[in-house]
Amino acid sequence: MGTLVYGAGGQLRALNDGARRLFRRRRYLLALLCFLGLYCLVSSSAARPCAIWSLDDGVGAGAVPLINLFVIHKAGAWGGAGWPATFEWLVASVTRQPHALAITIIERAEPEHCSAHVQDAIKDTPNIQYVCMTESDFWAEHVRYLCDHWGGCGRRQRREMHGDLLLVGDMIEAHATFPNIHGYVFRDLVHPRAAFWGWTDTDLVFGDFAQTFPYDLALDHDIVAASAPGGGGGGPQLVLAHGHFTLVRHRASTAAAMMRFAAFATYAGFENVTLYQPMDEGPISSFLVREPALDYLQFDGLHTGRYLAYGGAGVLELSPDLLGAHLAVPPAAFERLDSALPDPYPASVTDRGVAAAIEVHAGDATPVPPEVALWFPPEFANWHSGAGPPAPDWTRYVSKRGGKWTQRFEPPRYIEHGPLKGARSWLYVHWQEVKKRAHFKALAAHPLPRVAIMDGAGGILGLEADNSPAFWLPRQDEDCDYMGCVPPGQVTPGKSKEIAEWNAADVAKRQQWYATRRKRHGW
Protein backbone atom coordinates (compact mmCIF):
# COMPACT_ATOMS: atom_id res chain seq x y z
CA MET A 1 0.00 0.00 0.00
CA GLY A 2 1.49 3.32 -1.02
CA THR A 3 -0.66 5.45 1.24
CA LEU A 4 -2.32 4.68 4.55
CA VAL A 5 -5.00 7.07 5.72
CA TYR A 6 -6.11 7.13 9.34
CA GLY A 7 -9.31 9.06 9.72
CA ALA A 8 -10.75 10.82 12.71
CA GLY A 9 -10.44 8.59 15.74
CA GLY A 10 -7.48 6.72 14.27
CA GLN A 11 -9.52 4.32 12.13
CA LEU A 12 -7.41 2.76 9.36
CA ARG A 13 -8.78 3.28 5.90
CA ALA A 14 -6.83 1.62 3.10
CA LEU A 15 -7.10 -0.55 0.01
CA ASN A 16 -5.30 -3.81 -0.56
CA ASP A 17 -3.64 -4.60 -3.86
CA GLY A 18 -6.50 -6.79 -5.02
CA ALA A 19 -8.99 -4.02 -4.41
CA ARG A 20 -6.82 -1.60 -6.35
CA ARG A 21 -6.82 -3.87 -9.40
CA LEU A 22 -10.59 -4.15 -9.16
CA PHE A 23 -11.05 -0.39 -8.86
CA ARG A 24 -8.79 0.29 -11.84
CA ARG A 25 -11.30 -1.69 -13.87
CA ARG A 26 -14.25 -0.09 -12.09
CA ARG A 27 -13.44 3.58 -12.28
CA TYR A 28 -17.07 4.53 -11.85
CA LEU A 29 -16.63 3.58 -8.18
CA LEU A 30 -14.11 6.36 -7.61
CA ALA A 31 -16.69 8.92 -6.53
CA LEU A 32 -18.15 6.47 -4.05
CA LEU A 33 -14.69 5.72 -2.63
CA CYS A 34 -13.97 9.41 -2.09
CA PHE A 35 -17.34 9.86 -0.46
CA LEU A 36 -16.53 7.08 1.97
CA GLY A 37 -13.22 8.74 2.80
CA LEU A 38 -11.10 5.88 1.50
CA TYR A 39 -8.93 6.42 -1.56
CA CYS A 40 -8.86 8.02 -4.97
CA LEU A 41 -6.90 6.49 -7.81
CA VAL A 42 -5.58 8.56 -10.65
CA SER A 43 -4.29 7.75 -14.08
CA SER A 44 -0.76 7.35 -12.73
CA SER A 45 -2.11 4.44 -10.60
CA ALA A 46 -0.71 6.07 -7.44
CA ALA A 47 -2.93 6.05 -4.39
CA ARG A 48 -4.34 9.45 -3.48
CA PRO A 49 -5.99 10.38 -0.17
CA CYS A 50 -9.48 11.84 -0.32
CA ALA A 51 -11.44 13.86 2.19
CA ILE A 52 -11.89 12.05 5.48
CA TRP A 53 -13.21 14.96 7.50
CA SER A 54 -16.96 15.26 7.75
CA LEU A 55 -19.35 18.06 8.58
CA ASP A 56 -20.94 15.59 10.97
CA ASP A 57 -17.81 15.13 13.10
CA GLY A 58 -18.54 18.19 15.24
CA VAL A 59 -15.10 19.67 14.61
CA GLY A 60 -15.19 23.44 14.19
CA ALA A 61 -18.85 23.64 15.09
CA GLY A 62 -18.26 26.21 17.83
CA ALA A 63 -18.39 29.99 17.90
CA VAL A 64 -14.82 30.56 16.65
CA PRO A 65 -13.50 30.03 13.10
CA LEU A 66 -11.74 26.68 12.65
CA ILE A 67 -7.98 26.44 12.01
CA ASN A 68 -6.61 23.31 10.26
CA LEU A 69 -2.86 22.86 10.70
CA PHE A 70 -0.58 20.47 8.79
CA VAL A 71 2.22 18.56 10.48
CA ILE A 72 4.70 16.91 8.08
CA HIS A 73 7.06 14.32 9.54
CA LYS A 74 9.84 12.23 8.07
CA ALA A 75 11.98 10.05 10.32
CA GLY A 76 15.68 10.79 9.94
CA ALA A 77 15.17 14.26 8.45
CA TRP A 78 17.91 16.74 9.37
CA GLY A 79 19.82 14.00 11.16
CA GLY A 80 16.91 13.49 13.55
CA ALA A 81 14.91 10.46 14.53
CA GLY A 82 11.43 10.07 15.94
CA TRP A 83 8.72 12.16 17.53
CA PRO A 84 9.46 14.51 20.45
CA ALA A 85 8.91 13.44 24.05
CA THR A 86 6.10 15.98 24.37
CA PHE A 87 4.09 14.73 21.39
CA GLU A 88 1.30 13.54 23.69
CA TRP A 89 1.08 17.08 25.06
CA LEU A 90 0.67 18.40 21.52
CA VAL A 91 -2.11 15.88 20.92
CA ALA A 92 -3.80 16.78 24.22
CA SER A 93 -3.56 20.51 23.50
CA VAL A 94 -5.34 19.96 20.16
CA THR A 95 -7.86 17.38 21.36
CA ARG A 96 -9.21 19.66 24.09
CA GLN A 97 -10.36 22.30 21.59
CA PRO A 98 -12.12 20.67 18.61
CA HIS A 99 -14.24 23.82 18.36
CA ALA A 100 -11.16 25.80 17.30
CA LEU A 101 -8.41 23.52 16.03
CA ALA A 102 -7.85 20.53 13.75
CA ILE A 103 -4.57 18.93 12.67
CA THR A 104 -3.68 16.81 9.66
CA ILE A 105 -0.52 14.76 10.26
CA ILE A 106 1.27 13.47 7.17
CA GLU A 107 4.07 11.03 7.81
CA ARG A 108 6.38 10.27 4.90
CA ALA A 109 7.32 6.62 5.32
CA GLU A 110 7.00 3.17 3.80
CA PRO A 111 3.96 1.28 5.10
CA GLU A 112 6.00 -0.91 7.42
CA HIS A 113 7.51 2.19 9.06
CA CYS A 114 4.31 4.14 9.70
CA SER A 115 4.39 5.19 13.32
CA ALA A 116 2.32 2.99 15.63
CA HIS A 117 3.16 5.44 18.42
CA VAL A 118 1.35 8.26 16.62
CA GLN A 119 -1.60 6.07 15.67
CA ASP A 120 -2.04 5.08 19.30
CA ALA A 121 -1.69 8.69 20.49
CA ILE A 122 -4.52 9.97 18.27
CA LYS A 123 -7.07 7.27 18.97
CA ASP A 124 -10.47 8.73 19.74
CA THR A 125 -9.38 12.23 18.71
CA PRO A 126 -12.01 13.60 16.33
CA ASN A 127 -9.97 16.65 15.32
CA ILE A 128 -6.70 14.91 14.35
CA GLN A 129 -6.25 12.87 11.18
CA TYR A 130 -3.17 10.85 10.31
CA VAL A 131 -1.94 10.07 6.81
CA CYS A 132 1.06 7.86 6.14
CA MET A 133 2.28 7.94 2.55
CA THR A 134 5.44 6.89 0.77
CA GLU A 135 7.97 9.49 -0.25
CA SER A 136 7.16 8.81 -3.89
CA ASP A 137 3.43 9.33 -3.40
CA PHE A 138 4.01 12.45 -1.32
CA TRP A 139 5.91 14.13 -4.14
CA ALA A 140 3.62 12.75 -6.83
CA GLU A 141 0.84 14.77 -5.18
CA HIS A 142 2.93 17.94 -5.54
CA VAL A 143 3.66 17.22 -9.21
CA ARG A 144 -0.02 16.52 -9.86
CA TYR A 145 -1.19 19.72 -8.20
CA LEU A 146 1.42 21.99 -9.78
CA CYS A 147 0.91 20.58 -13.27
CA ASP A 148 -2.85 21.00 -12.93
CA HIS A 149 -2.27 24.58 -11.79
CA TRP A 150 -0.10 25.27 -14.85
CA GLY A 151 -2.62 23.76 -17.22
CA GLY A 152 -0.76 20.51 -17.78
CA CYS A 153 2.74 19.03 -18.04
CA GLY A 154 4.30 16.55 -20.41
CA ARG A 155 5.20 13.07 -19.23
CA ARG A 156 8.90 13.93 -19.26
CA GLN A 157 8.31 17.11 -17.28
CA ARG A 158 6.36 15.19 -14.65
CA ARG A 159 9.09 12.56 -14.43
CA GLU A 160 11.84 15.16 -14.06
CA MET A 161 9.88 17.15 -11.46
CA HIS A 162 9.21 14.02 -9.46
CA GLY A 163 12.89 13.06 -9.54
CA ASP A 164 13.93 16.56 -8.46
CA LEU A 165 11.49 16.57 -5.57
CA LEU A 166 12.54 13.11 -4.38
CA LEU A 167 16.10 14.37 -4.21
CA VAL A 168 15.12 17.62 -2.51
CA GLY A 169 12.96 15.79 0.02
CA ASP A 170 15.93 13.71 1.08
CA MET A 171 18.05 16.77 1.78
CA ILE A 172 16.24 19.03 4.20
CA GLU A 173 13.83 19.10 7.11
CA ALA A 174 10.63 17.37 6.11
CA HIS A 175 8.32 20.08 7.43
CA ALA A 176 10.29 22.81 5.63
CA THR A 177 9.53 21.48 2.16
CA PHE A 178 6.91 23.61 0.36
CA PRO A 179 4.82 24.26 3.50
CA ASN A 180 3.16 27.20 1.76
CA ILE A 181 1.17 24.90 -0.55
CA HIS A 182 0.26 22.08 1.87
CA GLY A 183 -3.31 23.31 1.95
CA TYR A 184 -3.54 23.20 -1.85
CA VAL A 185 -1.64 20.02 -2.64
CA PHE A 186 -3.59 18.21 0.09
CA ARG A 187 -6.74 20.30 -0.22
CA ASP A 188 -8.95 17.25 0.31
CA LEU A 189 -7.41 16.89 3.78
CA VAL A 190 -8.43 20.39 4.89
CA HIS A 191 -11.55 20.35 7.04
CA PRO A 192 -14.54 21.78 5.13
CA ARG A 193 -15.24 24.18 8.02
CA ALA A 194 -11.71 25.57 8.11
CA ALA A 195 -11.35 29.35 7.87
CA PHE A 196 -7.54 29.00 7.94
CA TRP A 197 -5.06 26.29 7.10
CA GLY A 198 -1.43 26.44 8.08
CA TRP A 199 1.73 24.59 9.01
CA THR A 200 3.32 23.75 12.33
CA ASP A 201 5.94 21.51 13.97
CA THR A 202 5.71 18.56 16.34
CA ASP A 203 7.62 20.34 19.13
CA LEU A 204 4.86 22.83 19.97
CA VAL A 205 2.12 22.78 22.55
CA PHE A 206 -0.92 24.96 21.98
CA GLY A 207 -2.73 27.15 24.44
CA ASP A 208 -6.38 28.13 24.49
CA PHE A 209 -7.09 29.55 21.02
CA ALA A 210 -10.46 31.00 22.01
CA GLN A 211 -8.69 33.18 24.59
CA THR A 212 -5.48 34.06 22.75
CA PHE A 213 -6.06 34.12 18.98
CA PRO A 214 -7.13 37.50 17.47
CA TYR A 215 -9.98 36.20 15.34
CA ASP A 216 -11.50 39.63 14.78
CA LEU A 217 -8.28 40.90 13.19
CA ALA A 218 -7.17 37.64 11.57
CA LEU A 219 -10.29 37.21 9.46
CA ASP A 220 -9.41 40.43 7.61
CA HIS A 221 -5.95 39.15 6.61
CA ASP A 222 -4.58 36.49 4.26
CA ILE A 223 -1.55 35.51 6.36
CA VAL A 224 -1.39 35.29 10.16
CA ALA A 225 1.89 34.74 12.01
CA ALA A 226 2.74 34.71 15.70
CA SER A 227 5.90 36.24 17.12
CA ALA A 228 7.75 36.38 20.41
CA PRO A 229 7.26 39.62 22.37
CA GLY A 230 9.80 42.24 21.42
CA GLY A 231 10.20 43.64 24.94
CA GLY A 232 9.65 47.14 26.16
CA GLY A 233 11.83 49.04 23.71
CA GLY A 234 11.41 50.11 20.12
CA GLY A 235 13.99 49.68 17.41
CA PRO A 236 14.28 47.04 14.68
CA GLN A 237 11.78 44.18 14.90
CA LEU A 238 11.63 41.28 12.43
CA VAL A 239 8.47 40.81 10.41
CA LEU A 240 8.65 37.05 9.96
CA ALA A 241 6.23 34.22 9.24
CA HIS A 242 7.86 31.42 11.21
CA GLY A 243 8.42 27.98 9.76
CA HIS A 244 6.99 26.43 12.93
CA PHE A 245 3.60 28.20 12.84
CA THR A 246 1.96 30.26 10.09
CA LEU A 247 -1.67 30.44 8.97
CA VAL A 248 -3.21 31.06 5.53
CA ARG A 249 -6.78 32.22 4.95
CA HIS A 250 -8.74 29.38 3.34
CA ARG A 251 -10.33 31.16 0.38
CA ALA A 252 -9.88 31.44 -3.38
CA SER A 253 -8.46 34.98 -3.48
CA THR A 254 -5.73 34.06 -1.00
CA ALA A 255 -4.90 30.89 -2.94
CA ALA A 256 -4.49 32.89 -6.17
CA ALA A 257 -2.06 35.27 -4.45
CA MET A 258 -0.12 32.43 -2.78
CA MET A 259 0.50 30.79 -6.14
CA ARG A 260 2.45 33.86 -7.31
CA PHE A 261 5.42 32.43 -5.41
CA ALA A 262 8.18 32.02 -8.03
CA ALA A 263 8.55 28.25 -7.68
CA PHE A 264 4.80 27.70 -8.15
CA ALA A 265 3.69 30.38 -10.60
CA THR A 266 4.92 28.62 -13.77
CA TYR A 267 6.82 25.53 -14.83
CA ALA A 268 9.71 27.78 -15.85
CA GLY A 269 9.69 29.30 -12.37
CA PHE A 270 9.85 25.85 -10.80
CA GLU A 271 12.77 24.88 -13.02
CA ASN A 272 14.74 28.10 -12.51
CA VAL A 273 14.30 28.69 -8.79
CA THR A 274 17.35 28.05 -6.66
CA LEU A 275 17.40 25.02 -4.41
CA TYR A 276 17.23 27.11 -1.26
CA GLN A 277 14.35 29.41 -2.05
CA PRO A 278 11.17 27.31 -1.79
CA MET A 279 12.16 25.43 1.35
CA ASP A 280 13.24 27.77 4.11
CA GLU A 281 11.29 30.15 6.31
CA GLY A 282 13.42 33.12 5.17
CA PRO A 283 12.43 33.06 1.48
CA ILE A 284 8.90 31.86 2.16
CA SER A 285 8.31 34.52 4.81
CA SER A 286 9.80 37.18 2.59
CA PHE A 287 7.25 36.38 -0.11
CA LEU A 288 4.35 36.33 2.36
CA VAL A 289 5.37 39.72 3.77
CA ARG A 290 6.18 41.45 0.47
CA GLU A 291 3.50 40.10 -1.89
CA PRO A 292 1.16 43.09 -2.51
CA ALA A 293 -1.92 40.89 -2.89
CA LEU A 294 -1.51 39.33 0.55
CA ASP A 295 -2.71 41.18 3.65
CA TYR A 296 -0.46 40.19 6.55
CA LEU A 297 -0.93 40.09 10.33
CA GLN A 298 1.68 39.33 13.00
CA PHE A 299 1.05 39.36 16.75
CA ASP A 300 2.71 38.40 20.02
CA GLY A 301 1.56 34.83 20.64
CA LEU A 302 4.70 32.78 21.37
CA HIS A 303 5.46 32.28 25.07
CA THR A 304 9.08 33.08 25.97
CA GLY A 305 8.78 33.86 29.68
CA ARG A 306 10.69 32.05 32.40
CA TYR A 307 7.80 30.43 34.24
CA LEU A 308 5.35 28.31 32.29
CA ALA A 309 2.48 26.08 33.35
CA TYR A 310 1.01 23.64 30.87
CA GLY A 311 -2.24 21.78 31.44
CA GLY A 312 -5.76 21.50 30.11
CA ALA A 313 -6.12 25.25 30.49
CA GLY A 314 -3.44 25.81 27.89
CA VAL A 315 -0.10 27.59 28.02
CA LEU A 316 0.07 29.90 31.03
CA GLU A 317 2.81 32.30 32.03
CA LEU A 318 2.94 32.43 35.80
CA SER A 319 3.43 35.69 37.55
CA PRO A 320 6.87 35.69 39.27
CA ASP A 321 5.55 37.48 42.34
CA LEU A 322 2.71 34.95 42.65
CA LEU A 323 4.73 31.88 41.65
CA GLY A 324 4.58 30.30 45.11
CA ALA A 325 0.83 30.80 45.33
CA HIS A 326 0.31 29.33 41.86
CA LEU A 327 2.40 26.28 42.69
CA ALA A 328 0.28 25.72 45.77
CA VAL A 329 -3.06 25.54 43.96
CA PRO A 330 -4.48 22.12 43.01
CA PRO A 331 -3.51 21.00 39.48
CA ALA A 332 -7.23 20.96 38.64
CA ALA A 333 -7.01 24.75 38.52
CA PHE A 334 -4.80 24.40 35.44
CA GLU A 335 -7.27 22.10 33.72
CA ARG A 336 -9.75 24.64 32.43
CA LEU A 337 -9.37 28.31 31.62
CA ASP A 338 -12.54 29.21 29.73
CA SER A 339 -14.47 30.05 32.87
CA ALA A 340 -11.73 32.40 34.08
CA LEU A 341 -12.49 34.92 31.31
CA PRO A 342 -16.10 35.94 30.72
CA ASP A 343 -15.95 36.26 26.93
CA PRO A 344 -14.96 33.15 24.91
CA TYR A 345 -14.16 35.32 21.89
CA PRO A 346 -12.45 38.45 23.31
CA ALA A 347 -12.06 41.53 21.15
CA SER A 348 -8.45 42.24 20.19
CA VAL A 349 -8.93 45.97 19.66
CA THR A 350 -9.86 48.13 22.64
CA ASP A 351 -10.20 51.85 23.24
CA ARG A 352 -6.93 51.70 25.21
CA GLY A 353 -4.94 50.57 22.17
CA VAL A 354 -2.24 52.69 20.57
CA ALA A 355 -1.69 52.54 16.79
CA ALA A 356 0.68 54.20 14.32
CA ALA A 357 1.80 53.80 10.72
CA ILE A 358 5.18 52.10 10.23
CA GLU A 359 7.51 51.38 7.34
CA VAL A 360 8.65 47.81 6.73
CA HIS A 361 12.11 47.51 5.18
CA ALA A 362 13.36 44.74 2.90
CA GLY A 363 16.83 43.25 3.17
CA ASP A 364 17.32 43.10 -0.60
CA ALA A 365 17.10 46.91 -0.76
CA THR A 366 18.31 48.15 2.64
CA PRO A 367 21.18 46.89 4.83
CA VAL A 368 19.87 44.87 7.76
CA PRO A 369 20.64 46.55 11.11
CA PRO A 370 23.29 44.63 13.07
CA GLU A 371 21.00 44.20 16.08
CA VAL A 372 18.59 42.09 13.98
CA ALA A 373 19.66 38.46 14.47
CA LEU A 374 19.28 36.37 11.31
CA TRP A 375 19.64 32.65 10.55
CA PHE A 376 18.96 33.02 6.82
CA PRO A 377 20.41 35.23 4.04
CA PRO A 378 19.81 38.95 4.73
CA GLU A 379 18.16 39.59 1.37
CA PHE A 380 15.11 37.75 2.67
CA ALA A 381 14.84 39.75 5.91
CA ASN A 382 12.01 42.21 6.59
CA TRP A 383 11.84 44.50 9.61
CA HIS A 384 10.43 47.72 10.97
CA SER A 385 11.67 50.25 13.52
CA GLY A 386 8.40 51.33 15.09
CA ALA A 387 8.10 52.76 18.57
CA GLY A 388 8.04 50.53 21.62
CA PRO A 389 4.91 49.66 23.63
CA PRO A 390 3.44 51.80 26.43
CA ALA A 391 4.50 48.99 28.82
CA PRO A 392 6.74 45.92 28.28
CA ASP A 393 3.88 43.40 28.59
CA TRP A 394 1.55 44.98 26.02
CA THR A 395 0.68 42.89 22.95
CA ARG A 396 2.09 44.05 19.60
CA TYR A 397 0.13 43.67 16.35
CA VAL A 398 1.82 44.40 13.00
CA SER A 399 -0.60 44.57 10.08
CA LYS A 400 -0.46 45.16 6.34
CA ARG A 401 -3.76 45.89 4.62
CA GLY A 402 -3.99 47.28 1.12
CA GLY A 403 -0.22 47.83 1.14
CA LYS A 404 -0.28 50.03 4.26
CA TRP A 405 1.58 48.91 7.38
CA THR A 406 0.49 49.76 10.92
CA GLN A 407 1.66 48.78 14.38
CA ARG A 408 -0.81 48.53 17.24
CA PHE A 409 -0.32 47.85 20.94
CA GLU A 410 -3.05 46.52 23.20
CA PRO A 411 -2.97 45.95 26.97
CA PRO A 412 -2.44 42.30 27.99
CA ARG A 413 -5.22 40.17 29.42
CA TYR A 414 -4.35 38.58 32.74
CA ILE A 415 -6.57 36.18 34.62
CA GLU A 416 -8.41 38.36 37.07
CA HIS A 417 -10.13 35.85 39.34
CA GLY A 418 -9.56 32.51 41.03
CA PRO A 419 -6.42 30.59 41.99
CA LEU A 420 -4.64 31.54 38.76
CA LYS A 421 -5.13 35.27 39.22
CA GLY A 422 -2.17 37.10 37.69
CA ALA A 423 -1.32 34.39 35.14
CA ARG A 424 -1.37 35.13 31.43
CA SER A 425 -2.53 32.84 28.64
CA TRP A 426 -0.45 32.42 25.45
CA LEU A 427 -1.22 30.91 22.06
CA TYR A 428 1.60 28.36 22.12
CA VAL A 429 5.05 27.42 23.37
CA HIS A 430 7.78 26.11 21.08
CA TRP A 431 10.37 23.73 22.55
CA GLN A 432 12.88 24.67 19.83
CA GLU A 433 15.94 25.01 22.04
CA VAL A 434 15.04 23.43 25.37
CA LYS A 435 14.18 20.12 23.67
CA LYS A 436 17.91 19.65 23.06
CA ARG A 437 18.71 19.62 26.78
CA ALA A 438 19.09 16.51 28.92
CA HIS A 439 16.38 17.36 31.44
CA PHE A 440 13.85 17.87 28.66
CA LYS A 441 14.81 14.63 26.91
CA ALA A 442 14.34 12.87 30.26
CA LEU A 443 10.61 13.53 29.93
CA ALA A 444 10.49 10.48 27.66
CA ALA A 445 11.22 8.25 30.67
CA HIS A 446 8.14 9.48 32.56
CA PRO A 447 4.43 9.32 31.90
CA LEU A 448 3.61 12.88 30.90
CA PRO A 449 1.68 14.53 33.74
CA ARG A 450 -1.51 16.42 33.07
CA VAL A 451 0.12 19.53 34.51
CA ALA A 452 3.76 20.58 34.33
CA ILE A 453 5.45 23.68 35.70
CA MET A 454 8.55 24.72 33.78
CA ASP A 455 11.19 27.07 35.07
CA GLY A 456 13.28 28.11 32.10
CA ALA A 457 16.38 28.43 34.29
CA GLY A 458 15.62 25.65 36.78
CA GLY A 459 13.87 22.58 35.41
CA ILE A 460 10.56 20.80 34.94
CA LEU A 461 8.13 19.87 37.72
CA GLY A 462 5.40 17.33 37.00
CA LEU A 463 2.38 17.44 39.30
CA GLU A 464 0.04 14.67 40.37
CA ALA A 465 -3.68 15.26 40.86
CA ASP A 466 -3.17 15.77 44.60
CA ASN A 467 -0.52 18.41 43.95
CA SER A 468 2.33 16.09 44.93
CA PRO A 469 5.38 16.08 42.63
CA ALA A 470 5.32 13.38 39.97
CA PHE A 471 8.94 14.18 39.14
CA TRP A 472 11.47 16.98 39.18
CA LEU A 473 13.91 17.21 36.26
CA PRO A 474 16.56 19.83 37.02
CA ARG A 475 18.23 21.71 34.22
CA GLN A 476 21.86 20.67 33.82
CA ASP A 477 24.98 22.55 32.85
CA GLU A 478 25.59 21.70 29.18
CA ASP A 479 27.32 22.90 26.04
CA CYS A 480 24.88 23.30 23.15
CA ASP A 481 24.88 24.01 19.44
CA TYR A 482 22.22 23.93 16.73
CA MET A 483 22.07 20.12 16.79
CA GLY A 484 21.91 19.45 20.52
CA CYS A 485 23.55 19.58 23.95
CA VAL A 486 26.24 17.55 25.74
CA PRO A 487 27.98 17.68 29.14
CA PRO A 488 30.59 20.45 29.35
CA GLY A 489 33.85 19.68 27.60
CA GLN A 490 32.44 17.12 25.15
CA VAL A 491 32.20 17.61 21.39
CA THR A 492 28.84 19.21 20.61
CA PRO A 493 26.58 17.27 18.23
CA GLY A 494 26.97 19.73 15.38
CA LYS A 495 30.71 19.00 15.34
CA SER A 496 30.41 15.23 15.68
CA LYS A 497 31.62 12.71 13.12
CA GLU A 498 28.07 11.51 12.48
CA ILE A 499 26.78 14.99 11.62
CA ALA A 500 29.87 15.69 9.53
CA GLU A 501 29.12 12.55 7.51
CA TRP A 502 25.47 13.55 7.22
CA ASN A 503 26.43 17.04 6.03
CA ALA A 504 28.87 15.58 3.50
CA ALA A 505 26.14 13.32 2.13
CA ASP A 506 23.79 16.30 1.96
CA VAL A 507 26.37 18.32 0.01
CA ALA A 508 26.77 15.41 -2.41
CA LYS A 509 23.01 15.32 -2.97
CA ARG A 510 22.94 19.06 -3.62
CA GLN A 511 25.79 18.71 -6.12
CA GLN A 512 23.87 15.92 -7.82
CA TRP A 513 20.79 18.14 -7.96
CA TYR A 514 22.69 21.00 -9.57
CA ALA A 515 24.48 18.66 -11.98
CA THR A 516 21.14 17.25 -13.11
CA ARG A 517 19.74 20.71 -13.68
CA ARG A 518 22.83 21.93 -15.52
CA LYS A 519 22.64 18.99 -17.90
CA ARG A 520 18.92 19.46 -18.44
CA HIS A 521 19.05 23.20 -19.14
CA GLY A 522 22.57 23.63 -20.47
CA TRP A 523 23.58 25.93 -17.60
Side-chain angles (χ1 to χ4, degrees), residues 421-438:
K421 181 180 179 180
R424 182 178 181 181
S425 186
W426 289 88
L427 186 69
Y428 69 94
V429 62
H430 185 205
W431 314 119
Q432 183 169 6
E433 297 301 326
V434 70
K435 69 183 178 185
K436 304 171 185 177
R437 293 191 167 273

Side-chain angles (χ1 to χ4, degrees), residues 19 34 74 93 127 146 177 183 190 226 260 312 339 358 402 435 443 521:
C34 292
K74 179 182 177 182
S93 72
N127 56 335
L146 289 172
T177 311
V190 178
R260 296 181 183 181
S339 60
I358 58 172
K435 69 183 178 185
L443 279 170
H521 300 290

Side-chain angles (χ1 to χ4, degrees), residues 236-421:
Q237 301 281 340
L238 271 178
V239 182
L240 177 72
H242 281 290
H244 65 253
F245 179 83
T246 294
L247 303 180
V248 180
R249 193 75 162 87
H250 188 39
R251 58 188 178 189
S253 60
T254 303
M258 290 288 286
M259 294 308 294
R260 296 181 183 181
F261 190 68
F264 309 144
T266 63
Y267 175 77
F270 176 87
E271 285 291 283
N272 291 324
V273 75
T274 65
L275 181 61
Y276 179 79
Q277 282 182 329
M279 297 160 288
D280 183 87
E281 63 186 334
I284 292 173
S285 171
S286 183
F287 168 79
L288 299 178
V289 171
R290 297 175 189 177
E291 169 55 47
L294 291 174
D295 287 340
Y296 179 94
L297 175 68
Q298 181 172 308
F299 70 100
D300 293 344
L302 169 59
H303 174 274
T304 57
R306 176 173 176 179
Y307 299 109
L308 162 75
Y310 170 70
V315 175
L316 301 179
E317 180 179 355
L318 303 184
S319 170
D321 57 334
L322 296 175
L323 184 62
H326 286 159
L327 291 178
V329 304
F334 293 98
E335 285 298 304
R336 195 72 184 165
L337 178 62
D338 293 352
S339 60
L341 294 171
D343 188 351
Y345 190 159
S348 305
V349 176
T350 70
D351 55 7
R352 295 180 59 196
V354 178
I358 58 172
E359 181 180 358
V360 172
H361 307 280
D364 60 350
T366 306
V368 180
E371 58 267 43
V372 175
L374 296 178
W375 54 97
F376 50 84
E379 62 265 28
F380 298 116
N382 300 280
W383 75 96
H384 70 89
S385 297
D393 59 348
W394 280 43
T395 300
R396 184 194 309 261
Y397 298 89
V398 174
S399 168
K400 179 187 68 172
R401 294 200 64 194
K404 296 180 180 180
W405 287 95
T406 59
Q407 175 180 252
R408 184 177 188 89
F409 290 104
E410 289 287 346
R413 291 194 298 267
Y414 290 98
I415 297 175
E416 298 178 355
H417 308 285
L420 296 181
K421 181 180 179 180

Side-chain angles (χ1 to χ4, degrees), residues 115-129:
S115 174
H117 165 65
V118 174
Q119 296 166 30
D120 289 341
I122 68 168
K123 285 181 179 178
D124 304 318
T125 55
N127 56 335
I128 301 178
Q129 64 178 359

Side-chain angles (χ1 to χ4, degrees), residues 78-80 431-438 441 477-488 490-496 499:
W78 196 242
W431 314 119
Q432 183 169 6
E433 297 301 326
V434 70
K435 69 183 178 185
K436 304 171 185 177
R437 293 191 167 273
K441 293 179 179 178
D477 185 21
E478 295 175 285
D479 292 336
C480 301
D481 64 15
Y482 70 103
M483 287 300 296
C485 301
V486 294
Q490 293 188 12
V491 176
T492 55
K495 298 178 181 178
S496 67
I499 295 300

